[in-house]
């Protein structure tokens, strides 16, 4: 498109920008996504300019900073600079710009608030002899049925009839080209017109703007720098509900919530003035075929949805009337249960799906709509269907154990999936299921958008090591490590999720395509998403494959310490003493009491004096786990297992996984026996080293790691980005999240400020999501009963009561807490459904403990919570619904 020399009917673009570069740097312009820049020149390193002759009008462009021909920085915002479509003519367009990464309030430009739509192609406009073009970035207008216009002295007067409508040239970017013969220098304002009536509905705030018409030679056209504009009506604060899809209940659901129930949930949100519904991950987790698969974060595919979420009401009825009656009887039975019976529900639905596929599957797979879906999704759908078929055939998802196809071969799998292959019918069954799930979730997402409701999804940080992605793309993962989290409020020994960690270097080599494709797929259904454990994009807690809990993990990437550096803190490093489990008689008695002799005989061997070491058969936690699985302890002695694990964890330093002559201080080592054996001077030295390592040493390093990945990923779509930034949060996390305008998560019982016992709700940042509890916590009512002292402090110091805290959180107490959160500055206040219920003592579940969704300290928790009334019944609770509507309205979140 860019021509090296002048030709007939060429348009000359002259770019001008102020940017103070460093020595050796040069500003360049990249047009319409081209990587080869138009390099600008400068006399002072601050004001840059340059020209290009083009044969067609560019749509978008970005500025970058280049050194020796390589880009060192590129404008990183999702919205590039944009130009209107002028008719080609011999003319010079003088373009003035400012460097821009993201708009000041980029969240308002997301699809959550401004919608996601395409701009209809406009006919090219012929520019006059001389013109001035104004460009404005403003959110929410199109979504609210308005168009932008300019009115004022410069365009003929302040009367509404003089308003000049602007054209939307990209999403949320508006432009108007003014003939200099028809305008004059003078004041003006931007206004929002009703798209149908052209009546002015809103004026911008602030002082009048001024348009100065410069002298121009014939054929010159001035293009002014883009301006950001926010009308008062674009201000947003939203209330919403968080609920897993499996927890939904309707009159016609089949023992578990489904994609059809999301629409009913949206209806309730609208009825109560809420504008957000947040769900947990919905990907297929079918690994064992048992209730263990209820854990929604251990998916076998980052694309495929769990078959149990299919709404069978949207499929044809079975032709076999007897089978249909039997299904309906079982459906009613399962739907009446207080909790999800995962295994029975999946057996019921899978049976129905097999029957309906036999009856109507061929017709669906032959449809044009399915063929379009398959073409667009074949890159993941075919491997997923083949994986599911092979899992069923060989009785295991552990592909390394399959007698055939244990290593993915694209050509061989293509043969397996060939319509003429014997396996095709069983493979096509999974095509059919995923197509129906796609249709249903797409309909739910479109319905939410039509009602102005943000449907917010959840992107897990990890994948199962027995997943389609690990089978097809193993080079993206480190299969010898386990992802998890260090000790925190959820678990004193850390969390071991068992996921492989990411090979970020390989992912970076192809521009993080794996993640970009994943985010792009989610954008089809959702207008916002939560990044699970966003800390993993800075560093992940990597646990050795031989460990069960998370205490001997290490951050990856990280900068380990040498023995010399450790000594520089005043701690004499002794490798044998400090990196191997220290076990003596005193420790054994403290840990095991009368069971100490049993532990010695079974797991230990004598080393010297009163010192013991683990037998080779038990020198890792996985070996102990395997032994006790074959030789289970009596129920009263099951605690011994965790105590033996703690023997193996009793070290001060963990060798680096890449270089065993470098070391990481063991997390929470101060709580273990070996630390108590140090003298006071050694303890002080270790504490200094520990604080430096975990809280100071890596901030800049981890910030740079995150900034390599997150800007590219979060700007891949227009969805609103929210980060789950809980746990052991380095200082660099809020730096990066603020720079990228990612919404943080604020929870009152987990304050970000270490000086506070409870978060100060009134001080929450605007760019945040606030909530009372998450799926990994007890609900408000459950938390109230956990620790009397903590509850008493909260009751007296936060709720400001002077008497003793009651044993149970009354409806009034819960309502007060809910109102505090609604009144917070947070952009989104999304509360768990159970916490909404808590304000009404006549409606809420009697047993608060039964409302809990997950217990992170238990890796085998059964995820089965289900709302205790149907969505139809909830819609009919007028008094309760009116109260919520009033609370939302008074908090200005309506």
């Amino acid at each position: 498109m860019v021509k090296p020399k002048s030709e007939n009917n060429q348009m000359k673009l002259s770019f001008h920008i102020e940017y103070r570069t460093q020595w050796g740097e040069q500003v360049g312009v990249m047009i319409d996504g081209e990587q080869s820049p138009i390099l600008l020149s400068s006399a002072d390193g601050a004001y840059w300019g340059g020209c290009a002759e083009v044969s067609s009008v560019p749509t978008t462009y970005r500025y970058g900073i280049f050194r020796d021909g390589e880009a060192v920085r590129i404008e990183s915002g999702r919205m590039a600079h944009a130009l209107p479509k002028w008719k080609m003519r011999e003319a010079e367009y003088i373009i003035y710009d400012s460097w821009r990464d993201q708009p000041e309030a980029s969240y308002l430009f997301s699809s959550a608030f401004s919608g996601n739509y395409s701009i209809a192609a406009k006919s090219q406009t012929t520019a006059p002899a001389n013109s001035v073009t104004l460009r404005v970035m403003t959110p929410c207008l199109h979504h609210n049925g308005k168009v932008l216009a300019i009115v004022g002295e410069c365009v003929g007067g302040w009367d509404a009839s003089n308003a000049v409508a602007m054209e939307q040239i990209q999403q949320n970017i508006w432009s108007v080209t003014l003939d200099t013969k028809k305008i004059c220098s003078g004041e003006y304002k931007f206004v929002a017109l009703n798209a149908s009536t052209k009546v002015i509905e809103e004026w911008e705030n602030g002082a009048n703007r001024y348009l100065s018409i410069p002298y121009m030679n014939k054929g010159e056209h001035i293009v002014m720098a883009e301006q950001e504009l926010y009308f008062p009506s674009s201000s947003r604060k939203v209330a919403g509900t968080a609920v897993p899809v499996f927890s939904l209940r309707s009159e016609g659901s089949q023992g578990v919530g489904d994609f059809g129930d999301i629409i009913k949930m949206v209806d309730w949100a609208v009825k109560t003035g809420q504008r957000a519904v947040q769900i947990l991950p919905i990907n297929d987790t079918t690994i064992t075929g048992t209730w263990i698969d209820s854990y929604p974060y251990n998916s076998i595919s980052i694309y495929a949805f769990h078959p149990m979420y299919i709404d069978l009401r949207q499929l044809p009825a079975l032709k076999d009337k007897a089978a249909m009656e039997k299904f309906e009887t079982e459906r009613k039975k399962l739907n009446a249960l207080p909790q999800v019976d995962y295994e029975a529900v999946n057996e019921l639905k899978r049976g129905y799906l097999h029957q309906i596929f036999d009856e109507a599957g061929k017709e669906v797979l032959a449809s044009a709509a399915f063929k379009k879906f398959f073409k667009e999704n074949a890159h993941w759908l075919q491997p997923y269907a083949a994986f599911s078929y092979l899992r069923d055939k060989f009785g295991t998802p552990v592909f390394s154990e399959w007698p055939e196809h244990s290593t993915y071969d694209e050509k061989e799998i293509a043969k397996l999936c060939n319509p003429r292959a014997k396996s095709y019918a069983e493979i096509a069954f999974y095509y059919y299921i995923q197509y129906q799930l796609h249709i249903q979730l797409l309909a739910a997402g479109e319905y939410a958008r039509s009602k102005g409701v943000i449907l917010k999804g959840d992107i897990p940080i990890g994948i199962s090591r027995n997943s389609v992605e690990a089978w097809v793309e193993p080079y993206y993962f480190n299969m010898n490590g386990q992802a998890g989290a260090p000790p925190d409020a959820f678990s004193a020994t850390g969390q071991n999720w068992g996921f492989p960690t990411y090979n970020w270097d390989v992912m970076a080599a192809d521009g993080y395509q794996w993640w970009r494709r994943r985010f792009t797929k989610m954008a089809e259904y959702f207008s916002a998403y939560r990044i699970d454990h966003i800390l993993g994009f800075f560093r992940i807690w990597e646990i050795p494959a031989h460990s069960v809990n998370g205490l001997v993990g290490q951050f990856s990437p990280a900068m380990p310490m040498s023995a010399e550096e450790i000594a520089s803190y005043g701690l004499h490093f002794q490798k044998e003493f400090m990196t191997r489990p220290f076990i003596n008689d005193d420790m054994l008695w403290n840990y095991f009491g009368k069971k100490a002799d049993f532990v010695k005989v079974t797991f230990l061997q004598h080393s010297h004096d009163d010192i013991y070491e683990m037998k080779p058969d038990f020198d890792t936690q996985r070996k102990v786990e395997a032994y006790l699985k074959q030789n289970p302890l009596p129920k009263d002695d099951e605690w011994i297992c965790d105590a033996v694990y703690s023997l193996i964890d009793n070290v001060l330093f963990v060798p680096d996984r890449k270089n065993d002559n470098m070391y990481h201080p063991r997390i929470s080592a101060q709580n273990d026996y070996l630390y108590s054996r140090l003298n006071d001077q050694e303890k002080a030295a270790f504490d200094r080293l520990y604080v430096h390592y975990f809280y100071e040493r890596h901030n800049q390093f981890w910030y740079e790691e995150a900034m390599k990945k997150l800007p590219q990923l979060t700007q891949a779509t227009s969805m609103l980005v929210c980060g789950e930034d809980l746990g052991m949060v380095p200082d660099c996390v809020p730096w990066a999240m603020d720079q990228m305008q990612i919404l943080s998560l604020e929870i009152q019982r987990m304050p970000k400020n270490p000086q506070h016992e409870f978060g100060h709700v009134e001080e929450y940042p605007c760019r945040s999501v606030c909530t009372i509890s998450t799926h990994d916590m007890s609900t408000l009512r459950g938390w109230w009963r956990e620790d009397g002292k903590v509850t008493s402090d909260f009751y007296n110091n936060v709720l400001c009561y002077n008497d003793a805290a009651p044993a149970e959180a009354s409806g009034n107490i819960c309502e007060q807490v809910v109102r505090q959160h609604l009144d917070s500055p947070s952009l989104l206040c999304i509360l768990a459904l159970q916490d909404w219920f808590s304000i009404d003592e006549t409606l809420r579940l009697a047993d608060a403990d039964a409302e809990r969704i997950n217990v992170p300290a238990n890796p085998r928790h059964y995820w089965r919570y289900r709302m205790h009334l149907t969505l139809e019944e909830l819609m009919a609770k007028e008094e309760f619904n009116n109260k919520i509507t009033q609370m939302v309205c008074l908090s200005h979140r309506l």
Side-chain angles (χ1 to χ4, degrees):
M1 184 185 72
V2 179
K3 300 293 182 181
K5 60 182 181 178
S6 180
E7 297 178 5
N8 292 334
N9 204 32
Q10 291 292 292
M11 177 183 287
K12 184 178 181 182
L13 302 180
S14 178
F15 294 96
H16 299 269
I17 187 171
E18 180 182 358
Y19 188 99
R20 297 189 179 277
T21 57
Q22 297 181 2
W23 180 258
E25 293 180 341
Q26 193 170 7
V27 179
V29 185
M30 294 170 291
I31 293 178
D32 284 339
E34 292 186 7
Q35 296 304 304
S36 179
I38 301 165
L39 295 175
L40 310 184
S41 59
S42 172
D44 58 4
Y47 295 93
W48 294 83
C51 298
E53 292 183 346
V54 298
S55 56
S56 63
V57 181
T59 304
T60 60
Y61 61 95
R62 292 180 186 271
Y63 288 93
I65 307 302
F66 297 83
R67 183 187 292 273
D68 298 327
E70 297 292 325
V72 296
R73 187 185 175 199
I74 297 172
E75 287 180 310
S76 60
R78 188 180 58 81
M79 301 168 66
H81 300 278
L83 293 173
K85 278 288 183 185
W86 298 297
K87 269 188 180 174
M88 289 303 303
R89 57 179 294 169
E90 292 186 43
E92 179 177 5
Y93 286 83
I94 304 169
I95 303 167
Y96 294 96
D97 279 309
S98 299
W99 182 279
R100 190 187 73 242
D101 286 322
Q102 294 195 79
E104 181 183 349
S106 65
Y107 56 88
L108 289 176
F109 292 85
S110 70
S111 57
F113 296 110
S114 289
N116 191 13
Y117 52 92
S118 56
I119 304 297
K122 302 286 197 308
S123 58
Q124 293 180 328
T125 57
T126 302
N130 296 104
S131 67
V132 173
T133 296
L134 302 180
R135 296 176 296 167
V136 179
M137 301 170 60
T138 189
C140 306
L141 284 189
H142 183 96
H143 199 51
N144 294 335
K146 301 175 183 178
V147 296
L148 190 63
I150 177 176
V151 67
E153 296 170 351
C154 61
V155 291
W158 293 98
D159 189 88
S161 62
N162 294 315
V164 179
M166 302 177 73
E167 173 190 15
Q168 192 169 193
I169 55 176
Q170 294 287 322
Q171 285 189 23
N172 305 306
I173 301 180
W174 299 75
S175 168
V176 63
T177 297
L178 303 170
D179 187 342
T180 55
K181 291 182 179 179
K182 298 178 181 180
I183 60 173
C184 63
S185 297
E187 295 184 338
Y188 71 95
K189 275 188 178 294
F190 292 112
V191 294
L193 303 180
N194 182 292
S196 300
T197 65
K198 306 306 180 187
V199 172
I200 295 178
E201 293 193 349
E202 196 168 8
W203 292 72
E204 69 167 310
N205 287 334
N208 293 342
R209 300 175 188 265
Y210 190 85
L211 179 63
S212 178
I213 310 298
Y215 172 79
M216 287 180 273
N217 295 318
K218 184 178 179 181
E220 287 185 340
H221 304 268
I222 301 294
V223 183
M224 307 298 288
E226 291 153 335
Q227 305 172 73
E228 285 186 41
L229 171 64
Y230 299 94
F231 285 102
S233 63
S234 67
S235 177
R236 294 288 189 275
K237 283 177 70 180
V238 168
T241 296
V243 59
V245 174
F246 62 76
S247 298
L248 297 174
R249 183 192 297 269
S250 66
E251 299 291 348
S253 54
Q254 302 100 41
V256 68
D258 55 46
F259 287 166
D261 290 334
I262 293 176
I263 291 176
K264 294 181 175 65
M265 186 66 202
V266 168
D267 286 338
W268 179 71
V270 172
K271 185 180 181 72
T272 53
Q274 300 179 65
R275 288 294 179 266
V277 172
Q278 175 178 320
I279 64 175
L280 291 184
I282 48 179
N283 298 98
D284 191 357
T285 58
T286 307
I287 295 176
T288 68
T290 69
W291 65 266
I292 293 172
D293 299 343
S294 66
Y295 177 39
Y297 288 88
N298 193 31
S299 67
I300 63 166
S301 170
I302 61 173
Y303 298 106
F305 300 129
H306 201 302
M308 77 174 178
Y309 292 127
I310 198 164
D311 180 4
L312 298 180
R313 291 165 291 188
Q314 298 184 44
L315 301 184
L318 298 177
K319 293 177 181 178
D320 185 333
K321 291 185 178 180
M324 192 67 205
E325 288 177 4
K326 182 180 179 182
F327 164 78
E328 183 62 15
T329 299
E330 185 65 15
R331 180 199 73 79
K332 289 179 178 178
K333 176 183 171 183
L334 291 176
N335 211 35
L337 295 176
Q339 295 175 309
V340 177
D341 185 334
Y342 182 90
E343 293 171 21
V345 160
N346 278 277
E347 183 181 354
L348 178 70
K349 287 201 169 187
R350 186 172 287 264
Y352 191 102
L353 288 167
H354 272 294
Q355 286 182 264
I356 201 65
F357 177 69
D358 290 341
E359 293 177 2
K362 286 184 179 179
E363 183 180 348
V364 171
L365 298 185
S367 68
F370 171 79
K371 289 177 179 177
K372 180 176 182 292
F373 167 76
F374 185 86
K375 182 178 180 181
E376 294 172 352
N377 296 275
H379 69 94
W380 67 264
L381 181 59
Q382 187 167 292
Y384 162 76
F387 178 94
S388 299
Y389 162 74
L390 293 167
R391 174 202 59 206
D392 299 343
K393 179 180 179 180
F394 299 128
T396 177
V398 184
F399 49 85
S400 61
E401 298 177 1
W402 293 346
E404 303 169 16
H405 306 295
S406 59
T407 299
Y408 180 78
D409 183 308
E410 186 175 359
K411 292 181 179 178
E412 290 300 313
I413 296 303
K415 292 178 185 177
L416 194 69
C417 298
N418 189 301
R420 291 186 293 274
K422 291 181 180 180
S423 54
Y424 180 72
E426 293 174 79
I427 287 172
F429 172 64
Y430 289 101
Y431 295 164
Y432 173 81
I433 292 175
Q434 289 304 314
Y435 174 61
Q436 298 293 351
L437 287 162
H438 163 75
I439 291 172
Q440 293 183 9
L441 185 58
L442 197 64
E446 289 174 350
Y447 184 79
R449 280 189 282 271
S450 74
K451 296 295 183 179
V453 172
I454 300 167
L455 187 59
K456 181 181 175 188
D458 193 332
I459 294 187
I461 185 64
I463 62 153
S464 171
R465 60 183 57 250
N466 299 310
S467 66
V468 180
E469 285 73 33
W471 179 49
V472 175
E473 304 164 310
Y475 43 84
Y476 281 138
F477 311 101
N478 297 313
M479 301 300 291
N480 59 348
Q482 305 175 99
D488 57 19
F490 298 123
S491 176
T493 58
Q495 298 178 55
N496 184 350
W497 304 322
F499 311 138
T501 56
Y502 293 109
N503 189 337
W504 288 113
D505 291 338
V506 174
M507 288 185 159
D510 64 13
Y512 304 101
Q513 281 190 42
W514 189 88
W515 284 97
R516 293 166 69 89
R517 287 196 302 261
R518 186 180 186 184
F519 282 43
T520 301
K521 185 62 181 173
M522 277 202 77
E524 293 181 24
Y525 314 102
F526 301 101
S527 51
Y529 63 95
R530 165 189 178 270
I531 301 178
D532 169 50
H533 194 65
I534 197 172
L535 306 185
F537 289 88
F538 293 77
R539 80 292 184 272
I540 197 73
W541 187 246
E542 189 170 48
I543 302 161
H546 57 69
S547 290
V548 173
N549 64 34
L551 284 176
V552 293
Q554 56 192 254
F555 284 122
S556 178
M559 297 182 288
M561 310 179 84
S562 65
E564 292 75 19
E565 185 179 5
I566 293 170
S568 72
Y569 282 84
L571 181 65
H572 176 57
F573 182 72
Q574 305 169 65
K575 184 170 184 176
E576 285 294 310
F577 174 63
M578 294 180 173
T579 65
R580 293 174 59 83
F582 177 82
I583 307 168
N584 67 6
D585 279 324
D586 180 57
M587 178 184 180
L588 292 171
W589 178 254
N590 287 334
Y591 278 40
F592 300 98
K594 294 179 181 179
K595 296 292 182 179
D597 287 340
F598 165 77
V599 172
K600 287 180 186 178
V601 171
T602 308
F603 300 105
L604 305 179
Q605 62 187 24
H606 185 256
S607 176
H608 60 87
D609 301 320
D610 68 337
I611 304 300
Y612 298 82
E613 60 187 14
M614 304 300 299
K615 290 180 180 178
D617 287 344
F618 303 114
D619 58 0
T620 73
Q621 292 177 350
R622 290 294 180 199
K623 291 180 181 179
V624 174
E625 179 186 50
Y627 172 79
L628 292 178
K629 191 173 184 180
Q630 295 295 322
N631 304 275
L633 294 162
K635 190 166 184 63
D636 291 344
D637 291 341
E638 287 179 351
W639 59 271
I640 291 175
C641 178
D642 286 334
V644 173
Y645 289 167
S646 68
L647 295 181
I648 298 170
D649 287 335
N650 188 37
V651 297
L652 284 180
F653 292 92
V654 177
D656 183 66
R657 66 180 179 86
K658 294 181 179 178
N659 183 347
D660 59 10
N661 289 317
M662 301 291 285
Y663 309 94
H664 307 261
R666 208 217 74 188
I667 192 82
S668 300
Q670 293 92 332
N671 299 327
D672 275 7
Y673 185 83
L674 182 53
Y675 177 82
S676 70
R677 300 283 294 186
L678 303 178
N679 62 40
D680 289 346
Q681 181 180 343
E682 290 171 328
K683 288 178 181 177
F686 183 83
D687 290 347
R688 287 194 304 274
L689 174 155
Y690 185 95
V691 169
H692 169 72
Y693 179 88
F694 284 112
Y695 299 101
E696 300 166 354
R697 181 184 187 89
H698 294 96
N699 272 318
Q700 187 62 33
F701 176 63
W702 285 337
Y703 168 81
E704 291 170 359
E705 286 296 313
M707 295 305 290
K708 292 176 186 175
K709 314 170 189 111
L710 282 172
Q712 294 189 58
L713 306 185
T714 57
Q715 290 155 25
T717 75
S718 61
M719 291 186 291
L720 178 67
V721 188
C722 310
E724 185 263 289
D725 55 337
L726 304 179
M728 191 175 181
V729 183
D731 289 346
C732 61
V733 172
W735 304 346
M737 288 180 66
D738 188 60
Q739 183 174 337
M740 291 178 282
Q741 299 195 31
I742 298 173
L743 273 60
S744 64
L745 179 60
E746 306 295 332
I747 300 176
Q748 195 170 29
R749 67 180 96 160
M750 295 184 70
K752 301 283 177 65
N753 187 334
Q755 304 302 315
H756 296 163
E757 183 180 8
F758 305 103
H760 292 191
V761 176
E762 70 281 1
E763 296 178 0
Y764 286 169
C766 169
R767 285 199 295 266
S768 70
V769 181
C770 77
T771 192
I772 298 169
S773 60
T774 73
H775 60 274
D776 280 334
M777 301 175 173
S778 51
T779 61
L780 172 57
R781 293 169 61 212
W783 171 77
W784 191 270
R785 302 191 308 191
E786 286 176 356
D787 188 318
K789 183 183 182 308
V790 172
T791 300
S792 181
D793 289 346
F794 183 83
Y795 182 73
N796 297 137
N797 300 328
V798 177
L799 301 183
C800 300
Y801 290 98
N802 294 322
D803 56 332
E808 298 286 339
S810 66
N812 288 336
I813 286 175
C814 294
E815 181 179 334
Q816 186 177 351
V817 176
V818 168
R819 286 185 183 274
Q820 284 183 347
H821 283 73
L822 287 171
D823 289 339
S824 77
S826 296
L827 178 68
L828 303 182
C829 175
I830 299 182
L831 306 182
L833 182 62
Q834 305 94 303
D835 288 336
W836 282 116
F837 287 163
S838 72
I839 69 175
D840 189 327
E841 294 183 20
T842 65
L843 183 146
R844 67 193 194 183
L845 192 62
D847 182 6
D849 292 336
E851 295 179 325
R852 182 146 189 181
I853 295 172
N854 180 41
V855 180
N858 177 11
R860 287 289 182 263
H861 182 77
Y862 193 168
W863 297 59
R864 61 189 315 197
Y865 165 73
R866 202 159 182 228
M867 58 189 292
H868 60 289
L869 70 167
T870 67
L871 286 159
E872 291 88 349
E873 290 171 333
L874 181 59
M875 289 287 285
K877 299 289 183 182
E878 295 297 337
E879 185 177 348
F880 174 69
N881 293 334
N882 289 339
K883 174 179 272 192
I884 292 181
T885 305
Q886 179 194 49
M887 294 166 68
V888 172
C889 182
L890 290 175
S891 65
H892 305 290
R893 293 184 180 273
L894 198 60

